[in-house]
Amino acid sequence: MLALLVGLLYLVSGRTVRSQDATGSRFVCNAIPPGAEPGCGYGATGNRVQSSSPVEDELRNTIIQLRETILQQKETIVSQQGTIKELNSKLARCEAAADEMAQGKSRGQGSRRKEYGKNTMGDLPRDPGETIDQLGKTMQSLKGRLENLEQQSLRLPSSNVSAGGVSALAPLPPELRQLLRERLGALETQLLRKVAELEEEKSQLYNETAAHRQRTESALNSLMERITELEKSNNAFKSPEDFKVSLPLRTNYLYGRIKKSLPEMYAFTVCMWLKSSASPGIGTPFSYGVPGQANEIVLIEWGNNPIELLVNDKVAQLPLSVSDGRWHHICITWTTRDGFWEAYQDGERLGTGDNLAPWHPIKPGGVIILGQEQDIVGGRFDATQAFVGELSQFNMWDRVLRPVDIIGLANCSAYMPGNVVPWVDANVEVFGGASKAALEICEDRAFDS
């Protein structure tokens, strides 16, 4: 009986609730999570009701993407500012290096900086022009996307639904469109301002780089002019004849060359100052070769043999000794008549002879080499025959000098340059490491003695 009464009560209460739902309406209140916007539907569990349309979702996503794009552009601008600061610091270092080099030049320091010529701009970041192009493309893309959104808003359905369940067309809310325009306008203004700044920085950087290049080239030109002046001053001896040729090594590539050649001669006198301590043998102080005869005139001390004079490859041994490391003046005379020769050392005649290539004229148009014996005209030297020491005052005449003239040359009481080959700086070339240096032979000889 009790169970029957409970069942009747249940049926009566169910009908009452259904009648209320059919004739009236109920309001259900749910809690809004903290920080949520009022007016938006939330379920009983506090989750937001997903009642938005696809158009609103697309707009929401577009706004989010625009925000991300703005943040990315801000990061790009900050990065470009850092790039500009880095470029300015590099330019400052380059200018400081150029100033230091200019100061060193004014103090007479002819040395270059060891790091000069190093590419300090090799680690430059991306060209600002590329960044400007990228920002412009981004701007055009954002404009295109906004225009597409406005066109879609005119033809896509809204989220309102009529009583019959049919969707009604409605335009995009003007507030949202205005917000998008304002955001895009602000971004465009910011981008244009940054583009103008980058263009100005680029122009300044180009001008500063051009100015720095001009200063660098000017400094280099000044340095080269100074080096040329120093080289000229080194070659500008006190007098054209006051110099020596140094041949410090026994090799086949150190030598000097007389620019002038010889005419046809029927007699000659050759005099020179030389200094050598080479052993065995001082080598070849000089040689004269002509086409067809490399040993037209040669003075040589080879190995343990005495000094020899060769004329047309004929040999005469000379009683000279000059390998004591001191300066000595030697003169050799020869005449085609009977092949008569004389040998002088320090003004004293130490030997004579005849029958050395008698009646042979010295052929013209050959090459005079200092310090090497020629196997062909002007070359094919043998290191074992090279002269090791110093030479000066190599003069040659087309006649036999008198003994008094030779004595005057030896004791520095007379100056008589050769009428065929005079000893002057402009007439002597050096090669392979041979060098020319200032020398006043009479003063140096007096110091040696």
Side-chain angles (χ1 to χ4, degrees), residues 108 148 150 333 396 398 403 416:
N148 291 335
E150 290 179 346
T333 71
M396 201 165 189
D398 58 359
M416 188 169 56

Side-chain angles (χ1 to χ4, degrees), residues 90-225:
K90 289 180 182 294
L91 283 173
R93 291 201 300 271
C94 290
E95 291 175 353
D99 293 340
E100 291 179 4
M101 182 175 63
Q103 292 176 2
K105 177 179 70 63
S106 64
R107 293 194 299 268
Q109 298 176 351
S111 61
R112 302 188 183 187
R113 291 174 58 88
K114 293 182 178 179
E115 296 182 359
Y116 186 81
K118 182 179 179 182
N119 182 13
T120 58
M121 302 296 288
D123 55 346
L124 286 178
R126 187 173 55 187
D127 187 3
E130 297 180 2
T131 303
I132 294 172
D133 295 339
Q134 182 180 1
L135 293 177
K137 292 178 181 179
T138 303
M139 194 68 218
Q140 294 296 330
S141 176
L142 292 176
K143 285 184 176 180
R145 293 173 65 179
L146 181 59
E147 292 175 356
N148 291 335
L149 289 175
E150 290 179 346
Q151 293 177 1
Q152 292 176 4
S153 66
L154 297 176
R155 62 175 182 269
L156 291 179
S158 66
S159 59
N160 297 329
V161 181
S162 63
V166 181
S167 298
L169 294 177
L172 189 70
E175 295 83 1
L176 180 57
R177 285 191 292 174
Q178 183 64 26
L179 176 62
L180 290 175
R181 288 196 184 95
E182 291 176 356
R183 294 286 180 88
L184 189 57
L187 179 60
E188 183 177 5
T189 302
Q190 187 178 10
L191 290 178
L192 292 175
R193 184 172 61 253
K194 187 58 183 178
V195 167
E197 293 176 358
L198 288 175
E199 288 287 355
E200 184 179 358
E201 291 289 342
K202 183 178 179 181
S203 177
Q204 292 178 357
L205 179 61
Y206 175 80
N207 294 335
E208 292 175 359
T209 303
H212 175 69
R213 185 184 299 110
Q214 185 176 3
R215 289 194 301 268
T216 302
E217 291 177 353
S218 176
L220 284 176
N221 291 334
S222 299
L223 183 60
M224 292 301 297
E225 291 176 359

Side-chain angles (χ1 to χ4, degrees), residues 219-257:
L220 284 176
N221 291 334
S222 299
L223 183 60
M224 292 301 297
E225 291 176 359
R226 179 59 179 164
I227 291 174
T228 302
E229 291 176 359
L230 291 175
E231 290 175 348
K232 289 182 179 179
S233 64
N234 288 337
N235 292 331
F237 304 119
K238 185 176 181 180
S239 296
E241 72 278 0
D242 289 336
F243 72 98
K244 64 181 178 179
V245 172
S246 297
L247 303 161
L249 300 175
R250 195 182 293 277
T251 71
N252 63 350
Y253 54 83
L254 272 75
Y255 65 98
R257 177 173 177 152

Side-chain angles (χ1 to χ4, degrees), residues 43 48 69 85 94 100 117 149 194-195 199 326 341 350-351 358 381 394-395 430 446:
R48 187 166 183 168
T69 302
K85 291 181 181 179
C94 290
E100 291 179 4
L149 289 175
K194 187 58 183 178
V195 167
E199 288 287 355
R326 302 168 67 90
W341 59 267
L350 299 183
F381 307 136
F394 179 89
N395 290 280
V430 291

Side-chain angles (χ1 to χ4, degrees), residues 239-421:
S239 296
E241 72 278 0
D242 289 336
F243 72 98
K244 64 181 178 179
V245 172
S246 297
L247 303 161
L249 300 175
R250 195 182 293 277
T251 71
N252 63 350
Y253 54 83
L254 272 75
Y255 65 98
R257 177 173 177 152
I258 303 297
K259 294 181 180 180
K260 292 190 65 175
S261 186
L262 301 180
E264 186 178 53
M265 299 187 300
Y266 298 93
F268 69 80
T269 300
V270 58
C271 296
M272 72 190 77
W273 287 91
L274 60 80
K275 178 180 180 181
S276 177
S277 59
S279 178
I282 65 172
T284 307
F286 85 97
S287 64
Y288 174 66
V290 296
Q293 181 53 269
N295 294 329
E296 186 71 1
I297 306 175
V298 180
L299 184 66
I300 183 173
E301 184 181 51
W302 188 19
N304 295 319
N305 299 317
I307 295 180
E308 297 176 340
L309 173 65
L310 280 70
V311 177
N312 192 29
D313 209 24
K314 306 301 188 292
V315 181
Q317 294 184 346
L318 308 182
L320 304 178
S321 178
V322 294
S323 60
D324 58 358
R326 302 168 67 90
W327 282 108
H328 292 282
H329 185 265
I330 63 172
C331 281
I332 309 296
T333 71
W334 175 88
T335 177
T336 187
R337 184 173 182 177
D338 296 328
F340 183 78
W341 59 267
E342 298 173 303
Y344 292 81
Q345 179 174 326
D346 298 327
E348 181 182 359
R349 188 170 68 177
L350 299 183
T352 63
D354 57 10
N355 202 32
L356 178 61
W359 313 111
H360 171 75
I362 301 300
K363 297 177 182 178
V367 176
I368 302 176
I369 297 294
L370 302 178
Q372 298 284 352
E373 189 270 339
Q374 307 172 55
D375 287 340
I376 61 173
V377 178
R380 196 182 291 172
F381 307 136
D382 185 349
T384 61
Q385 298 174 333
F387 174 78
V388 180
E390 298 175 327
L391 292 170
S392 184
Q393 298 297 321
F394 179 89
N395 290 280
M396 201 165 189
W397 297 260
D398 58 359
R399 67 182 186 274
V400 175
L401 294 185
R402 299 176 302 169
V404 64
D405 296 329
I406 295 176
I407 292 173
L409 293 172
N411 60 24
C412 297
S413 62
Y415 173 67
M416 188 169 56
N419 68 330
V420 175
V421 177

